[in-house]
mmCIF file of all heavy atoms in Angstrom:
data_model
loop_
_atom_site.group_PDB
_atom_site.id
_atom_site.type_symbol
_atom_site.label_atom_id
_atom_site.label_comp_id
_atom_site.label_asym_id
_atom_site.label_seq_id
_atom_site.Cartn_x
_atom_site.Cartn_y
_atom_site.Cartn_z
ATOM 1 N N THR Z 236 120.405 96.099 95.135
ATOM 2 C CA THR Z 236 120.232 97.065 94.044
ATOM 3 C C THR Z 236 118.788 97.150 93.586
ATOM 4 O O THR Z 236 118.387 98.143 92.979
ATOM 5 C CB THR Z 236 121.118 96.689 92.843
ATOM 6 O OG1 THR Z 236 120.822 95.335 92.450
ATOM 7 C CG2 THR Z 236 122.591 96.808 93.201
ATOM 8 N N THR Z 237 117.980 96.121 93.883
ATOM 9 C CA THR Z 237 116.577 96.119 93.438
ATOM 10 C C THR Z 237 115.607 95.818 94.574
ATOM 11 O O THR Z 237 114.476 95.406 94.337
ATOM 12 C CB THR Z 237 116.371 95.086 92.313
ATOM 13 O OG1 THR Z 237 116.756 93.791 92.794
ATOM 14 C CG2 THR Z 237 117.170 95.452 91.077
ATOM 15 N N LYS Z 238 116.020 96.029 95.807
ATOM 16 C CA LYS Z 238 115.131 95.770 96.946
ATOM 17 C C LYS Z 238 115.263 96.900 97.961
ATOM 18 O O LYS Z 238 116.364 97.188 98.442
ATOM 19 C CB LYS Z 238 115.471 94.431 97.610
ATOM 20 C CG LYS Z 238 114.544 94.071 98.766
ATOM 21 C CD LYS Z 238 114.865 92.688 99.327
ATOM 22 C CE LYS Z 238 113.919 92.326 100.468
ATOM 23 N NZ LYS Z 238 114.218 90.980 101.021
ATOM 24 N N TYR Z 239 114.125 97.502 98.296
ATOM 25 C CA TYR Z 239 114.104 98.652 99.199
ATOM 26 C C TYR Z 239 113.018 98.450 100.250
ATOM 27 O O TYR Z 239 111.981 97.825 100.001
ATOM 28 C CB TYR Z 239 113.842 99.944 98.418
ATOM 29 C CG TYR Z 239 114.967 100.314 97.478
ATOM 30 C CD1 TYR Z 239 115.098 99.684 96.237
ATOM 31 C CD2 TYR Z 239 115.898 101.292 97.818
ATOM 32 C CE1 TYR Z 239 116.134 100.013 95.372
ATOM 33 C CE2 TYR Z 239 116.929 101.636 96.958
ATOM 34 C CZ TYR Z 239 117.043 100.990 95.737
ATOM 35 O OH TYR Z 239 118.054 101.325 94.885
ATOM 36 N N ARG Z 240 113.278 99.018 101.431
ATOM 37 C CA ARG Z 240 112.350 98.828 102.552
ATOM 38 C C ARG Z 240 112.118 100.158 103.267
ATOM 39 O O ARG Z 240 113.055 100.917 103.515
ATOM 40 C CB ARG Z 240 112.930 97.809 103.544
ATOM 41 C CG ARG Z 240 112.086 97.619 104.790
ATOM 42 C CD ARG Z 240 112.722 96.661 105.779
ATOM 43 N NE ARG Z 240 112.794 95.312 105.244
ATOM 44 C CZ ARG Z 240 113.910 94.692 104.896
ATOM 45 N NH1 ARG Z 240 115.072 95.320 105.023
ATOM 46 N NH2 ARG Z 240 113.888 93.472 104.440
ATOM 47 N N LYS Z 241 110.857 100.389 103.603
ATOM 48 C CA LYS Z 241 110.483 101.555 104.419
ATOM 49 C C LYS Z 241 109.839 101.033 105.698
ATOM 50 O O LYS Z 241 108.833 100.321 105.646
ATOM 51 C CB LYS Z 241 109.492 102.458 103.678
ATOM 52 C CG LYS Z 241 108.948 103.628 104.512
ATOM 53 C CD LYS Z 241 107.918 104.424 103.712
ATOM 54 C CE LYS Z 241 107.232 105.484 104.579
ATOM 55 N NZ LYS Z 241 108.171 106.540 104.989
ATOM 56 N N TYR Z 242 110.407 101.361 106.838
ATOM 57 C CA TYR Z 242 109.883 100.884 108.114
ATOM 58 C C TYR Z 242 108.609 101.650 108.473
ATOM 59 O O TYR Z 242 108.592 102.884 108.486
ATOM 60 C CB TYR Z 242 110.921 101.045 109.223
ATOM 61 C CG TYR Z 242 112.092 100.100 109.055
ATOM 62 C CD1 TYR Z 242 113.247 100.502 108.381
ATOM 63 C CD2 TYR Z 242 112.022 98.803 109.544
ATOM 64 C CE1 TYR Z 242 114.310 99.619 108.204
ATOM 65 C CE2 TYR Z 242 113.088 97.920 109.376
ATOM 66 C CZ TYR Z 242 114.220 98.338 108.710
ATOM 67 O OH TYR Z 242 115.261 97.471 108.533
ATOM 68 N N LEU Z 243 107.556 100.907 108.761
ATOM 69 C CA LEU Z 243 106.288 101.524 109.163
ATOM 70 C C LEU Z 243 106.130 101.550 110.676
ATOM 71 O O LEU Z 243 105.933 102.605 111.268
ATOM 72 C CB LEU Z 243 105.107 100.773 108.527
ATOM 73 C CG LEU Z 243 104.835 101.035 107.051
ATOM 74 C CD1 LEU Z 243 103.618 100.243 106.596
ATOM 75 C CD2 LEU Z 243 104.630 102.522 106.781
ATOM 76 N N ALA Z 244 106.196 100.366 111.295
ATOM 77 C CA ALA Z 244 105.990 100.310 112.749
ATOM 78 C C ALA Z 244 106.603 99.032 113.300
ATOM 79 O O ALA Z 244 106.343 97.946 112.776
ATOM 80 C CB ALA Z 244 104.502 100.365 113.084
ATOM 81 N N PRO Z 245 107.410 99.124 114.373
ATOM 82 C CA PRO Z 245 108.011 97.930 114.970
ATOM 83 C C PRO Z 245 107.028 97.137 115.832
ATOM 84 O O PRO Z 245 107.289 95.996 116.188
ATOM 85 C CB PRO Z 245 109.149 98.500 115.812
ATOM 86 C CG PRO Z 245 108.681 99.875 116.187
ATOM 87 C CD PRO Z 245 107.881 100.363 115.012
ATOM 88 N N HIS Z 246 105.883 97.735 116.180
ATOM 89 C CA HIS Z 246 104.823 97.058 116.926
ATOM 90 C C HIS Z 246 103.562 97.916 116.850
ATOM 91 O O HIS Z 246 103.600 99.073 116.424
ATOM 92 C CB HIS Z 246 105.227 96.812 118.391
ATOM 93 C CG HIS Z 246 105.671 98.051 119.113
ATOM 94 N ND1 HIS Z 246 104.791 98.956 119.655
ATOM 95 C CD2 HIS Z 246 106.904 98.545 119.349
ATOM 96 C CE1 HIS Z 246 105.470 99.948 120.200
ATOM 97 N NE2 HIS Z 246 106.756 99.728 120.032
ATOM 98 N N ASN Z 247 102.413 97.322 117.207
ATOM 99 C CA ASN Z 247 101.120 98.026 117.134
ATOM 100 C C ASN Z 247 100.956 98.727 115.779
ATOM 101 O O ASN Z 247 100.650 99.924 115.700
ATOM 102 C CB ASN Z 247 101.000 99.045 118.273
ATOM 103 C CG ASN Z 247 100.936 98.387 119.637
ATOM 104 O OD1 ASN Z 247 100.208 97.420 119.832
ATOM 105 N ND2 ASN Z 247 101.724 98.887 120.578
ATOM 106 N N ALA Z 248 101.135 97.946 114.719
ATOM 107 C CA ALA Z 248 101.208 98.534 113.375
ATOM 108 C C ALA Z 248 99.853 98.821 112.742
ATOM 109 O O ALA Z 248 99.783 99.489 111.706
ATOM 110 C CB ALA Z 248 101.997 97.599 112.455
ATOM 111 N N GLU Z 249 98.765 98.336 113.333
ATOM 112 C CA GLU Z 249 97.471 98.429 112.673
ATOM 113 C C GLU Z 249 97.115 99.864 112.273
ATOM 114 O O GLU Z 249 96.766 100.138 111.116
ATOM 115 C CB GLU Z 249 96.362 97.850 113.570
ATOM 116 C CG GLU Z 249 96.414 96.336 113.707
ATOM 117 C CD GLU Z 249 97.275 95.877 114.861
ATOM 118 O OE1 GLU Z 249 98.169 96.642 115.280
ATOM 119 O OE2 GLU Z 249 97.065 94.743 115.342
ATOM 120 N N ASN Z 250 97.195 100.789 113.210
ATOM 121 C CA ASN Z 250 96.800 102.177 112.919
ATOM 122 C C ASN Z 250 97.732 102.828 111.900
ATOM 123 O O ASN Z 250 97.292 103.624 111.062
ATOM 124 C CB ASN Z 250 96.775 102.998 114.216
ATOM 125 C CG ASN Z 250 95.640 102.589 115.128
ATOM 126 O OD1 ASN Z 250 94.637 102.032 114.681
ATOM 127 N ND2 ASN Z 250 95.780 102.863 116.408
ATOM 128 N N VAL Z 251 99.026 102.482 111.964
ATOM 129 C CA VAL Z 251 99.985 103.047 111.013
ATOM 130 C C VAL Z 251 99.689 102.546 109.603
ATOM 131 O O VAL Z 251 99.757 103.300 108.626
ATOM 132 C CB VAL Z 251 101.423 102.686 111.426
ATOM 133 C CG1 VAL Z 251 102.422 103.248 110.426
ATOM 134 C CG2 VAL Z 251 101.722 103.205 112.829
ATOM 135 N N VAL Z 252 99.333 101.267 109.492
ATOM 136 C CA VAL Z 252 99.000 100.703 108.178
ATOM 137 C C VAL Z 252 97.727 101.352 107.631
ATOM 138 O O VAL Z 252 97.661 101.703 106.442
ATOM 139 C CB VAL Z 252 98.830 99.167 108.279
ATOM 140 C CG1 VAL Z 252 98.230 98.605 106.993
ATOM 141 C CG2 VAL Z 252 100.178 98.514 108.570
ATOM 142 N N ILE Z 253 96.733 101.516 108.478
ATOM 143 C CA ILE Z 253 95.489 102.165 108.029
ATOM 144 C C ILE Z 253 95.772 103.592 107.566
ATOM 145 O O ILE Z 253 95.243 104.057 106.544
ATOM 146 C CB ILE Z 253 94.443 102.165 109.159
ATOM 147 C CG1 ILE Z 253 94.034 100.734 109.518
ATOM 148 C CG2 ILE Z 253 93.219 102.971 108.743
ATOM 149 C CD1 ILE Z 253 93.490 99.919 108.385
ATOM 150 N N GLU Z 254 96.627 104.291 108.298
ATOM 151 C CA GLU Z 254 96.995 105.653 107.901
ATOM 152 C C GLU Z 254 97.692 105.644 106.534
ATOM 153 O O GLU Z 254 97.427 106.508 105.690
ATOM 154 C CB GLU Z 254 97.910 106.271 108.963
ATOM 155 C CG GLU Z 254 98.295 107.709 108.663
ATOM 156 C CD GLU Z 254 99.208 108.300 109.730
ATOM 157 O OE1 GLU Z 254 99.438 107.613 110.744
ATOM 158 O OE2 GLU Z 254 99.697 109.424 109.526
ATOM 159 N N PHE Z 255 98.564 104.664 106.311
ATOM 160 C CA PHE Z 255 99.231 104.539 105.012
ATOM 161 C C PHE Z 255 98.204 104.293 103.902
ATOM 162 O O PHE Z 255 98.272 104.914 102.833
ATOM 163 C CB PHE Z 255 100.248 103.400 105.049
ATOM 164 C CG PHE Z 255 100.785 103.033 103.696
ATOM 165 C CD1 PHE Z 255 101.817 103.763 103.112
ATOM 166 C CD2 PHE Z 255 100.239 101.965 102.989
ATOM 167 C CE1 PHE Z 255 102.297 103.437 101.852
ATOM 168 C CE2 PHE Z 255 100.717 101.632 101.732
ATOM 169 C CZ PHE Z 255 101.754 102.364 101.165
ATOM 170 N N LEU Z 256 97.266 103.396 104.140
ATOM 171 C CA LEU Z 256 96.262 103.080 103.124
ATOM 172 C C LEU Z 256 95.363 104.277 102.839
ATOM 173 O O LEU Z 256 94.938 104.501 101.700
ATOM 174 C CB LEU Z 256 95.421 101.878 103.570
ATOM 175 C CG LEU Z 256 96.165 100.544 103.698
ATOM 176 C CD1 LEU Z 256 95.239 99.459 104.227
ATOM 177 C CD2 LEU Z 256 96.777 100.116 102.372
ATOM 178 N N ASN Z 257 95.077 105.048 103.880
ATOM 179 C CA ASN Z 257 94.190 106.214 103.698
ATOM 180 C C ASN Z 257 94.896 107.382 103.016
ATOM 181 O O ASN Z 257 94.306 108.048 102.153
ATOM 182 C CB ASN Z 257 93.662 106.682 105.060
ATOM 183 C CG ASN Z 257 92.525 105.816 105.561
ATOM 184 O OD1 ASN Z 257 91.809 105.198 104.780
ATOM 185 N ND2 ASN Z 257 92.364 105.759 106.877
ATOM 186 N N ASN Z 258 96.136 107.630 103.367
ATOM 187 C CA ASN Z 258 96.802 108.867 102.949
ATOM 188 C C ASN Z 258 97.869 108.679 101.873
ATOM 189 O O ASN Z 258 98.001 109.524 100.981
ATOM 190 C CB ASN Z 258 97.439 109.551 104.169
ATOM 191 C CG ASN Z 258 96.414 109.897 105.227
ATOM 192 O OD1 ASN Z 258 95.290 110.258 104.892
ATOM 193 N ND2 ASN Z 258 96.774 109.775 106.488
ATOM 194 N N SER Z 259 98.617 107.588 101.939
ATOM 195 C CA SER Z 259 99.739 107.416 101.007
ATOM 196 C C SER Z 259 99.373 106.595 99.781
ATOM 197 O O SER Z 259 99.778 106.923 98.662
ATOM 198 C CB SER Z 259 100.919 106.763 101.730
ATOM 199 O OG SER Z 259 101.364 107.576 102.794
ATOM 200 N N LYS Z 260 98.620 105.526 99.976
ATOM 201 C CA LYS Z 260 98.306 104.674 98.828
ATOM 202 C C LYS Z 260 97.544 105.432 97.731
ATOM 203 O O LYS Z 260 97.821 105.213 96.530
ATOM 204 C CB LYS Z 260 97.532 103.428 99.258
ATOM 205 C CG LYS Z 260 97.328 102.438 98.097
ATOM 206 C CD LYS Z 260 96.649 101.173 98.557
ATOM 207 C CE LYS Z 260 96.494 100.204 97.392
ATOM 208 N NZ LYS Z 260 95.632 100.740 96.318
ATOM 209 N N PRO Z 261 96.593 106.316 98.061
ATOM 210 C CA PRO Z 261 95.921 107.068 96.978
ATOM 211 C C PRO Z 261 96.905 107.876 96.129
ATOM 212 O O PRO Z 261 96.701 108.025 94.917
ATOM 213 C CB PRO Z 261 94.954 107.983 97.738
ATOM 214 C CG PRO Z 261 94.663 107.245 98.999
ATOM 215 C CD PRO Z 261 95.952 106.573 99.366
ATOM 216 N N LYS Z 262 97.984 108.365 96.731
ATOM 217 C CA LYS Z 262 98.983 109.114 95.962
ATOM 218 C C LYS Z 262 99.746 108.182 95.011
ATOM 219 O O LYS Z 262 100.062 108.563 93.885
ATOM 220 C CB LYS Z 262 99.957 109.807 96.920
ATOM 221 C CG LYS Z 262 99.299 110.840 97.832
ATOM 222 C CD LYS Z 262 100.309 111.419 98.813
ATOM 223 C CE LYS Z 262 99.632 112.396 99.774
ATOM 224 N NZ LYS Z 262 100.582 112.938 100.780
ATOM 225 N N ILE Z 263 100.020 106.961 95.481
ATOM 226 C CA ILE Z 263 100.683 105.975 94.625
ATOM 227 C C ILE Z 263 99.752 105.580 93.480
ATOM 228 O O ILE Z 263 100.182 105.439 92.324
ATOM 229 C CB ILE Z 263 101.099 104.739 95.440
ATOM 230 C CG1 ILE Z 263 102.022 105.137 96.598
ATOM 231 C CG2 ILE Z 263 101.785 103.713 94.549
ATOM 232 C CD1 ILE Z 263 103.295 105.813 96.179
ATOM 233 N N ASP Z 264 98.472 105.388 93.798
ATOM 234 C CA ASP Z 264 97.495 105.051 92.755
ATOM 235 C C ASP Z 264 97.450 106.148 91.684
ATOM 236 O O ASP Z 264 97.378 105.857 90.482
ATOM 237 C CB ASP Z 264 96.105 104.873 93.368
ATOM 238 C CG ASP Z 264 96.016 103.644 94.262
ATOM 239 O OD1 ASP Z 264 96.940 102.820 94.219
ATOM 240 O OD2 ASP Z 264 95.013 103.516 94.997
#
């Protein structure tokens, strides 16, 4: 009820994480 997960990448996650930090995190901020 209080824990949620969004799958980013099952492998080779570096570029996906960078994309999240560049594009999605600013919207959260």
Side-chain angles (χ1 to χ4, degrees):
T236 55
T237 58
K238 183 176 181 180
Y239 293 79
R240 176 183 294 111
K241 174 183 173 67
Y242 291 93
L243 284 181
H246 54 81
N247 294 314
E249 289 89 336
N250 290 337
V251 179
V252 169
I253 296 303
E254 182 180 354
F255 169 82
L256 295 177
N257 281 334
N258 300 324
S259 299
K260 186 176 181 297
K262 297 176 183 178
I263 302 300
D264 292 348

